Structures are given as C-alpha cells and as structure tokens.
Amino acid sequence: MVQLSHLVTSLPPFHFANAKQRIADKQAQGVDVVNLSVGDPDLPAPPQVVERLCTAMRDGENHRYPEYRGMRALHEAIAGWFERRFGVALTPEQEIMPLIGSKEGLVYSAACVLNAGDIALTPDPYYPVYISSVTSVNAQPYMLPMREESGYLPDLEGIPTEVLAKARLLWLNYPNNPTAACADRAFFEKAVDFARRYNLVIVHDMAYAEVHYEGFRPLSLLEIPGAKDVAVELHSLSKTYNMAGFRIGMLVGNRELVNAVALLKSNIDSGIFRPVQYAAIEALNLPESWIQERNAIYQHRRDLMLEGCRALGMRVQPSKAGLYIWAGVPEGYTSRQFADYLFDKMGIFLTPGTNFGPAGEGYVRISLTTPESRIQIALDRMKRAFVS
Ligand SMILES: Cc1ncc(COP(=O)(O)O)c(C=O)c1O
C-alpha cells in the first residue's frame, strides 16, 4: 500500500469536485437538478477572445514552452487595465505575475510567506483554499469571524497579542465569497496600517473585481497609499470575462512577493499556454461596455432571486458585487439541513454556509451563474414546498 503524506491525507475533498458527483448521481435517478452552487460563469467568453485564441493556436511558434513570467505584451495589457480600472500604476515584470487562475496564486503566496508554525489570519467564512494552502505548509489558520452586523468585516483590533506574534499573513477577499460583502476605503486603510504595525503580508483576493451592480465599483486594496509595501492582490479572468476554463489570472503588487511567487512557480510549472495569454490580452482591452452588459444579466438574475427568497421569508440583502446571494436559512434548519432538504426533496443544489467555515452557520450561498428560467424553476419548487 502506498504511504501518503500528512499533507494529502489531511486535505478534505474539494467541495465543488464532490458536488459534481452528487449532481451526476441525482441526474442518473432522473431528477432535473437546478445547480445554484458553483460560481462557474454559464455565459460564454467574448467572441473576440475566442477568435484571438484560435488565431494564436494556428501559429506553431505558440506551441512551444511559453515564457515563465508571461509575455511582455500580457504584462503591458495587465498594467493598462489596472491603470484604467483602478488608477494604480504597476511595473511590468516586477509587480505583475500572470498565473494559471488565481487559485494557484493563493497556494504560492502562502508558501512564499509562511513557515511551519506561523499563523495566517483568516476571515471566516472563507474560500476553502485559504485553509488548505496554509495547512499544506504546516502553518495554522486563525479564524476571524465575520458577522452580518459588522458588514462582514473582520475585527482586526480584537486579535490577541500572542496570535499576532506568530501571524505573518492576513487573507482578505472583497467582493467577498461567499457573503457578497464589499469593503470600503476606511477598512482597507485600517488593514494596511495594521499590516504595517504587525509586520504582516496581506493577500487580497479580488477574483470578483468586475462583477458589480447599480454603478458600484469595488476598490482595489492597491488604491490605498502604501499598500504595495505590505500587500499583493489576486485577479482573475475567470469571473471578469467568463473565462474560467481558460485558466488565467494574475498576482500584482508588492514586488518582493511577486518575485518570490515567480521563482517558486518557475520551479513547478512552465508558464501559461501562449494562445491563452493572447486571449487574455484581447479581453483586458475590451471596452467597459462589455462588462456593463454582462453585469446587467447578473443583476436581473440577482433581483429575481432576491424577490423569490424574500417571498419565501428568507433573510437576504441585495449584493452590490460578486456572483452570490448569501441567504439566511429559515427557522428550524441548520445550513446543511436546509441545503440537503432542498437537494433531496426538490433537486435544488446550493451550498451550505458551513462549507465556508463555522461562521457560515445559518446561511446558504446561492450562485447567480444559472439562467433566469432555471432560477424561476427553483423558486417555483421552493414556493410549492414552503408557501401553502
Ligand atoms: C474567492 C475566490 N478566489 C479565487 C477563486 C479561484 O478562481 P480562479 O482560479 O478561476 O481564478 C475563486 C473561484 O471560485 C474564488 O471564489
């Protein structure tokens, strides 16, 4: 029998890998499952992007190993997008590292900052990779519960001094998955100051930067003066341009950490397939109107779902950004019981809040990556069960 490492035997199954199997099993029983769980954009990538990918594919030069740190033209496209979108200048090659999606950037960042025994301050609820990337280097997460009444912002000042003595990293994620909360400038300023005082690195995960509603524009942490001294930020084309399957994102900000990630990554993989890099350049140069039109579709879905949830007596807030609705479960259910009930009895698959940590108890996460017609089917099924 193969002796597996502590690293791998201590990892839980990745929820969404497991979810696919549960859905497939249900469908095999003839159930028409409405999937409101994973944040996997159902809308297609922009046609210009697909075209650029196909053209680049036909050039044999692009079939060779790509550049470890990404093409210069991609760095320039990222820097241009960042300047236009956030008003922040980034130095190509020094403050930018293209990635195969932002997920790997979480793992690399943790590995570049943490030693065994260190602590990573982890707002709870959290995207599960924050935990596995910390425990995989024998460091420990320290949970910072985020509560509805404090706008899902963690209480940094309440962290015990003995924890701060061992803390090296602070994860932040706004627009937040799963709560859909957004951070304001005052919180980001406080976080940068806090990181400076306690010698922490902030890894701000901004995978949902460009999914926003009603004219709201989420802030980049790097807009805060001095943030680059203590922080890096992760961006992704997965949700921004419906390019989840392309696998492309980037780490930007503090140059020491960006360079460390580049070093680690070059020892593990060999860069991003060039046609995907060309496709990303095309996407990053799309007009702002493309984002607005796509977000209008999500906004309709959001409004339909919010109205439906309220009619069922569920507690929901209109999200200003992100792909999710974070809904309070009806009285008498835990998060898991409610999610299992909807799945077993109604073929509606959504994610219990506790999949994102203990502070998620009492909530479920509903994804908006499903067409309105399917959302309506889910709401009709729920209405039949809950409203007599
Ligand atoms: C908060 C958050 N961060 C990072 C990711 C990873 O995205 P990707 O690797 O596709 O860029 C996701 C994906 O769902 C996410 O929700």
Side-chain angles (χ1 to χ4, degrees), residues 40 57 67 72 92 94 108 131 267 323 325:
D40 179 8
M57 274 295 291
E67 304 67 10
R72 174 80 193 186
Q94 292 301 315
Y108 288 138
I131 304 294
N267 275 280
L323 278 181
I325 290 178

Side-chain angles (χ1 to χ4, degrees), residues 11 43 81 137 150 164 193 199 305 344:
L11 282 179
L43 299 164
W81 175 75
V137 291
S150 34
L164 283 171
D193 176 58
N199 201 20
M305 185 55 93
D344 295 338

Side-chain angles (χ1 to χ4, degrees), residues 67-71 74-75 78 96-109 203 232-238 243-244 246-252 257-258 260-266 269 271-273 276-277 280:
E67 304 67 10
Y68 286 99
R69 290 199 63 154
M71 295 177 340
L74 176 60
H75 281 251
I78 292 171
I96 297 173
M97 179 65 208
L99 299 169
I100 302 174
S102 60
K103 192 172 178 182
E104 67 160 4
L106 299 168
V107 180
Y108 288 138
S109 300
V203 179
V232 285
E233 191 162 81
L234 282 154
H235 286 266
S236 168
L237 278 74
S238 296
M243 290 170 66
F246 287 61
R247 308 307 303 133
I248 186 157
M250 58 270 194
L251 181 76
V252 298
L257 187 46
V258 166
V261 167
L263 172 69
L264 180 59
K265 185 170 155 63
S266 65
D269 80 34
I272 302 164
F273 187 38
V276 173
Q277 296 191 54

Side-chain angles (χ1 to χ4, degrees), residues 206-224:
M206 209 180 172
Y208 297 87
E210 286 291 56
V211 181
H212 39 74
Y213 310 113
E214 294 162 4
F216 176 78
R217 303 280 299 250
L219 281 179
S220 161
L221 182 66
L222 301 185
E223 290 181 53
I224 306 303

Side-chain angles (χ1 to χ4, degrees), residues 159-175:
I159 302 168
T161 40
E162 63 275 18
V163 171
L164 283 171
K166 286 185 171 182
R168 297 280 301 113
L169 187 156
L170 167 63
W171 298 114
L172 291 179
N173 165 221
Y174 296 102

Side-chain angles (χ1 to χ4, degrees), residues 2 35 94 118 171 182 227 241 249 269 315 337 357 368 380 387:
V2 174
N35 186 355
Q94 292 301 315
D118 287 345
W171 298 114
C182 293
Y241 293 109
D269 80 34
R315 205 174 68 259
Q337 283 167 344
L368 300 173
D380 290 345
V387 185

